[in-house]
């Protein structure tokens, strides 16, 4: 298939683009390289360096028989979204709107998009089902909810087929691709930086939550398993005419302290930590039910034990101590 991947130089987009290439698809990447890395681009892809809000870039990337768009280009840092809400709505909502308008204009009717557990806010019950109330607690979550609203309306109005994948916490690395944000804000890479001596200590954002050890609980899913779900989503739209939202998580929750302890075992080091204040917008516990993704996509996780996630991230970081070179 001829496909366009937006954000294909980013952490998740690059792994999915690589998997699509390996499966024999023809992939064009649209990325403005604002947070992505040039050296993360898989070989064999055409790069259109441009913004998803720019019509000329979209026309270039979506030209020539593209049949489906996989959309990863978005801002995704919760705390940042609290400080800069309009930037988040502009990029995430405005950007997706531009893509959908271009797709509508060009007659492209297949769309796979990164959504987030952040659409649920602080859930009443765990594990979270897709039918749980959607009450985001930060602008990032709201921006993803707006995207899902546009998709459902587009499905009714112009026959768009879409799969919105609500990620829980992505982690881990593949042989070629790993996690490198600048600045880094995510738990696993920061913990590994402390283990490697690149940072002095890890700041635990609050230990007074209503959880067994007081730190936040998250559901960590390996980037390889996450990527597989996108490939299956393309098939589900074709073969089953499926459109809708699906959670992607491992159905197991780990606290911040449990992640640190696992990283200590994997790296054989002691990881110094400081208990600090809560971070704005953090819900205490997020844990997915992924039953629906398993049923609809035939998706099976194969790499998502916490050990394997941290081990693979550790190996990639050991091979690439400074992350990507550009
Ligand atoms: N966290 C932390 N210190 C850090 C980074 C993250 O205590 O330096 C915690 C954060 O509060 C959350 C969990 O680790 O409970 C996962 O955070 P991350 O930013 O990796 O992902 P998020 O859950 O925000 O998508």
């Amino acid at each position: 298939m001829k496909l366009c991947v937006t954000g294909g130089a980013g952490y998740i987009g690059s792994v999915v683009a690589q998997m699509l290439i390996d499966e024999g698809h023809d992939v064009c990447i649209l990325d403005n390289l604002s947070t992505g890395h040039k050296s993360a681009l898989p070989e064999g892809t055409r790069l259109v360096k441009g913004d998803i809000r720019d019509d000329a870039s979209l026309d270039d990337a979506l030209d020539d028989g593209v049949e489906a768009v996989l959309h990863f280009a978005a801002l995704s840092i919760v705390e940042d979204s609290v400080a800069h809400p309009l930037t988040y709505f502009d990029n995430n909502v405005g950007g997706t709107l531009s893509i959908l308008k271009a797709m509508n204009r060009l007659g492209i009717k297949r769309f796979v998009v990164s959504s987030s557990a952040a659409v649920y806010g602080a859930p009443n019950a765990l594990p979270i089902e897709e039918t749980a109330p959607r009450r985001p607690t930060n602008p990032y979550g709201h921006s993803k909810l707006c995207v899902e609203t546009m998709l459902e309306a587009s499905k009714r109005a112009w026959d768009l087929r879409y799969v919105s994948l609500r990620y829980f916490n992505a982690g881990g690395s593949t042989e070629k691709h790993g996690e490198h944000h600048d600045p880094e804000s995510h738990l696993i890479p920061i913990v590994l930086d402390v283990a490697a001596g690149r940072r002095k200590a890890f700041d635990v954002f609050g230990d007074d939550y209503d959880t067994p050890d007081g730190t936040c609980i998250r559901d960590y899913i390996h980037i390889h398993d996450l990527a597989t779900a996108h490939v299956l989503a393309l098939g589900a739209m074709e073969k089953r005419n499926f459109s809708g939202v699906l959670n992607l998580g491992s159905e197991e929750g780990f606290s911040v302290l449990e992640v640190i302890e696992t990283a200590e075992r994997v790296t054989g080091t002691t990881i110094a930590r400081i208990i600090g204040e809560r971070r704005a917008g953090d819900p205490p516990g997020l844990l997915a039910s992924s039953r629906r993704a398993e049923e609809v996509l035939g998706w099976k996780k194969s790499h998502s034990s916490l050990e394997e996630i941290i081990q693979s991230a550790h190996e990639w970081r050991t091979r690439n101590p400074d992350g990507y070179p550009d």
Side-chain angles (χ1 to χ4, degrees):
M1 257 175 127
K2 199 152 187 180
L3 303 167
C4 173
V5 175
T6 75
Y11 175 44
I12 301 172
S14 60
V15 175
V16 174
Q18 181 72 58
M19 202 174 268
L20 293 169
I21 298 266
D22 294 345
E23 298 233 330
H25 296 285
D26 182 353
V27 176
C28 171
I29 287 176
L30 173 59
D31 199 304
N32 64 9
L33 299 179
S34 60
T35 56
H37 303 276
K38 216 166 170 199
S39 46
L41 290 166
E43 268 175 47
T45 50
R46 177 170 83 94
L47 172 69
V48 173
K49 185 172 178 295
D51 199 283
I52 53 172
R53 292 160 295 180
D54 173 49
D55 283 342
S57 302
L58 278 170
D59 280 344
D60 187 1
L62 299 182
D63 203 13
D64 235 9
V66 164
E67 291 163 80
V69 177
L70 296 100
H71 175 36
F72 300 91
L75 300 176
S76 63
I77 308 298
V78 167
E79 198 176 25
D80 197 26
S81 81
V82 175
H84 306 287
L86 300 184
T87 309
Y88 271 67
F89 286 111
D90 186 13
N91 268 274
N92 295 1
V93 182
T96 308
L97 178 61
S98 302
I99 296 171
L100 291 174
K101 280 161 72 179
M103 288 174 62
N104 181 246
R105 192 167 67 237
L106 297 165
I108 303 168
K109 295 192 173 179
R110 305 282 182 274
F111 193 66
V112 181
V113 61
S114 313
S115 185
S116 167
V119 300
Y120 297 113
N124 298 332
L126 297 176
I128 305 170
E129 307 268 352
E130 286 83 352
T131 48
R134 293 165 306 164
R135 290 187 295 241
T137 52
N138 52 63
Y140 169 63
H142 276 288
S143 74
K144 290 292 176 181
L145 189 51
C146 287
V147 167
E148 291 188 351
T149 306
M150 290 196 291
L151 293 174
E152 191 54 28
S154 296
K155 174 185 138 188
R156 288 168 203 275
W158 52 279
D159 269 351
L160 175 76
R161 270 184 233 169
Y162 75 90
V163 183
S164 180
L165 297 170
R166 292 179 178 161
Y167 307 156
F168 282 63
N169 287 62
S173 302
T174 61
E175 175 77 26
K176 293 183 189 158
H177 294 102
E179 189 163 11
H180 175 186
H181 301 104
D182 198 8
E184 188 54 79
S185 68
H186 292 98
L187 170 60
I188 293 174
I190 295 179
V191 164
L192 291 175
D193 271 350
V194 179
R198 283 186 291 269
R199 294 180 191 235
K200 277 213 173 83
F202 180 81
D203 277 328
V204 177
F205 295 147
D207 71 345
D208 56 351
Y209 286 95
D210 185 15
T211 60
D213 68 18
T215 64
C216 289
I217 292 179
R218 295 288 181 272
D219 177 336
Y220 296 88
I221 180 89
H222 196 290
I223 190 84
H224 171 89
D225 288 337
L226 210 59
T228 306
H230 294 74
V231 179
L232 294 171
L234 286 172
M237 288 190 289
E238 281 321 305
K239 292 183 206 122
R240 302 185 54 168
N241 212 3
F242 176 77
S243 271
V245 299
L246 298 171
N247 287 343
L248 292 180
S250 73
E251 306 200 321
E252 251 189 298
F254 293 96
S255 72
V256 174
L257 295 182
E258 285 172 323
V259 171
I260 296 172
E261 283 153 19
T262 308
E264 289 186 322
R265 279 198 303 280
V266 166
T267 61
T269 56
T270 300
I271 296 173
R273 72 212 66 172
I274 296 163
I275 307 293
E277 296 297 311
R278 291 183 177 196
R279 182 172 69 174
D282 263 346
L286 290 173
L287 171 55
S289 162
S290 294
R291 203 168 32 90
R292 192 155 186 247
E294 288 168 16
E295 281 165 17
V296 171
L297 304 180
W299 182 60
K300 276 203 173 15
K301 304 164 294 270
S302 56
H303 293 63
S304 287
S305 74
L306 187 59
E307 272 79 9
E308 196 167 348
I309 291 172
I310 294 178
Q311 179 73 40
S312 67
H314 175 54
E315 284 168 10
W316 188 83
R317 203 63 198 200
T318 305
R319 286 197 302 276
N320 304 277
D322 299 318
Y324 290 111
D326 55 17

